[in-house]
Amino acid sequence: TLGRLARGLVRELDIAGCDLLTKSAVTRAAMAQRTIQRLNGTNVGVGSWTPEQLLRVIAALDDLRVLTADCRSLGASSPLLRLLAHPAVRLRKLVLHKPESGAALEPAADDLVSLTAALKRKPPGGGDAPVASLREVDLGQSGGGLRGAFEFVAALLAGEECRVQKLALSGVRSASVEALAALGAALDGNRHLEQLSLGCNFISAEGCRALAAAVASHPALRSLSLEHNPIQDSGAAALSAALCGRGSRLTSLSLPFTGAKDGACRALADALAAGAPLASLDLGGNLVTAGGAAALAAALADPSGCAL
């Protein structure tokens, strides 16, 4: 279909969601047209675009003004930084990861300070910084292997220009309390994040307490996942206490395999009874006894104070 487009006549092309198209087919169409000014290539084919693929598309389009796409990169690679420097680029989703074990990573690509600067830098001719177009950032299971992952996330979320709605970061070997406090401070000033996934980061009970208030009072956050973090009863209790505040909008809380026991269940039951807006709660893989289950059951039985 792309090959049958009249050459030299297409100014705007929207192929978002065309999962049967290949990246190479889109690139060939761009090279054939060359007159395209606006191109939406989000969620095309299998997987996200690489920076190298998007740079080839840009090179083929002399009059390009807006390119909307998703992108995956090995850390803060040079191609990714070159891509973000182009004024036409509007990334909707950014996936960062490290190569498989044994493969080489470009020097300094695991240092996310340069990527933060690139995302926050406004184009010389005016307009929004690249971060303004982002809606999803995924550091996945291997993103935690990149230096300064939590600092990157905190810096990204800070500032009014950030519109990220979905963020995932996993695999940090030991998330420090200071890093989590910085993330909490960034969340305090953020108004757009809706889903936050921080599984498998070795977040402790103290780290959970550093996040609790900001997470619970966030005006847009609806979903929080902390699976496989050793927050234990005291961390869950801190979250529960924060959820009792009037500002909480959190409707989904995932705490499987966090070391939570009956104390966490009783704290969560109290939060539910006090009107916490939770509609979904996952405590799978925890050492909950009949006593903890009974406390939750009692809260669930009260329709006036429980949304679950």
Side-chain angles (χ1 to χ4, degrees):
T1 302
L2 287 178
R4 293 197 294 269
L5 293 173
R7 294 195 175 190
L9 298 180
V10 178
R11 297 292 183 273
E12 184 169 343
L13 182 61
D14 189 342
I15 50 175
C18 294
D19 54 2
L20 296 181
L21 280 176
T22 64
K23 308 290 194 301
S24 58
V26 176
T27 304
R28 288 195 299 271
M31 295 177 68
Q33 291 297 327
R34 304 195 74 85
T35 55
I36 296 174
Q37 297 178 354
R38 304 179 70 90
L39 172 60
N40 186 349
T42 309
N43 298 326
V44 169
V46 179
S48 297
W49 294 83
T50 66
E52 293 84 354
Q53 290 172 327
L54 289 173
L55 287 170
R56 284 195 288 272
V57 172
I58 290 173
L61 299 175
D62 300 328
D63 300 324
L64 186 65
R65 297 178 183 176
V66 177
L67 170 62
T68 306
D70 49 316
C71 182
R72 56 184 169 88
S73 173
L74 293 177
S77 65
S78 295
L80 176 59
L81 298 180
R82 291 202 306 273
L83 179 69
L84 291 172
H86 196 285
V89 172
R90 308 285 189 273
L91 293 186
R92 302 291 288 183
K93 177 180 179 180
L94 179 59
V95 181
L96 298 175
H97 57 95
K98 291 195 73 171
E100 297 296 330
S101 179
L105 184 68
E106 177 185 336
D110 65 336
D111 185 354
L112 298 178
V113 174
S114 57
L115 179 56
T116 303
L119 285 167
K120 297 277 187 172
R121 186 180 300 116
K122 292 188 176 184
D128 293 330
V131 70
S133 64
L134 273 178
R135 296 297 178 267
E136 181 176 355
V137 177
D138 185 358
L139 276 78
Q141 289 295 326
S142 58
L146 299 169
R147 283 189 291 140
F150 265 97
E151 290 79 2
F152 165 72
V153 166
L156 181 72
L157 292 177
E160 295 181 358
E161 72 273 24
C162 180
R163 300 291 188 273
V164 172
Q165 298 171 347
K166 185 176 180 181
L167 192 149
L169 169 58
S170 300
V172 174
R173 293 182 179 179
S174 182
S176 69
V177 174
E178 292 77 15
L180 289 162
L183 177 56
L187 288 171
D188 277 335
N190 181 274
R191 296 292 179 269
H192 300 280
L193 190 65
E194 297 177 3
Q195 299 179 50
L196 178 61
S197 179
L198 296 174
C200 304
N201 289 314
F202 286 90
I203 296 174
S204 65
E206 187 179 1
C208 188
R209 286 193 291 272
L211 268 181
V215 164
S217 63
H218 195 284
L221 192 66
R222 301 293 187 270
S223 175
L224 174 65
S225 180
L226 291 171
E227 74 274 8
H228 292 277
N229 285 299
I231 67 169
Q232 304 192 23
D233 277 356
S234 58
L239 277 175
S240 302
L243 287 172
C244 293
R246 293 183 178 181
S248 179
R249 300 290 186 271
L250 203 69
T251 59
S252 177
L253 180 60
S254 182
L255 301 175
F257 300 96
T258 54
K261 299 180 182 178
D262 290 350
C265 292
R266 287 191 289 270
L268 287 165
D270 290 343
L272 290 170
L278 287 180
S280 174
L281 174 62
D282 186 354
L283 289 169
N286 290 305
L287 298 176
V288 176
T289 70
L296 285 172
L300 291 172
D302 181 5
S304 64
C306 180
L308 275 174

